[in-house]
Amino acid sequence: MITKMVTWPLAPAFAVVRMAEFLCDRAEEQLYDPVRIRRELEDVAADLAAGEISEEEAAAREEELLDRLLRAPRR
């Protein structure tokens, strides 16, 4: 009971921290989502085919996407 009375004024700060952790988790899920990465790889291929990006730029983007795929946390 005493602990709740002492920590009650800090409740808004705890809520902000929990919300930040939640948002961080969701952002990481999207960043490492294999379906999303595959779609981005398809976009790179389409941009290259349309002449919107150079082969060097496409290779760099593909490398970054594949690196994200390999670093994805296992669930």
Side-chain angles (χ1 to χ4, degrees):
M1 180 81 149
I2 300 282
T3 303
K4 286 186 179 184
M5 288 175 33
V6 172
T7 60
W8 181 78
L10 298 175
F14 292 141
V16 168
V17 169
R18 286 186 12 192
M19 179 59 76
E21 289 171 347
F22 173 80
L23 293 174
C24 184
D25 290 344
R26 297 297 86 73
E28 283 185 355
E29 283 178 10
Q30 288 185 6
L31 181 66
Y32 296 116
D33 179 21
V35 174
R36 185 181 190 107
I37 292 172
R38 187 175 325 124
R39 192 174 323 121
E40 289 181 38
L41 284 168
E42 291 170 357
D43 290 345
V44 170
D47 289 347
L48 179 61
E52 296 177 6
I53 60 175
S54 67
E55 287 194 29
E56 294 82 16
E57 191 176 354
R61 287 173 57 188
E62 286 175 350
E63 184 177 337
E64 184 269 329
L65 290 166
L66 292 174
D67 186 50
R68 268 182 26 205
L69 187 61
L70 293 174
R71 287 187 294 134
R74 302 292 175 222
R75 295 178 190 160

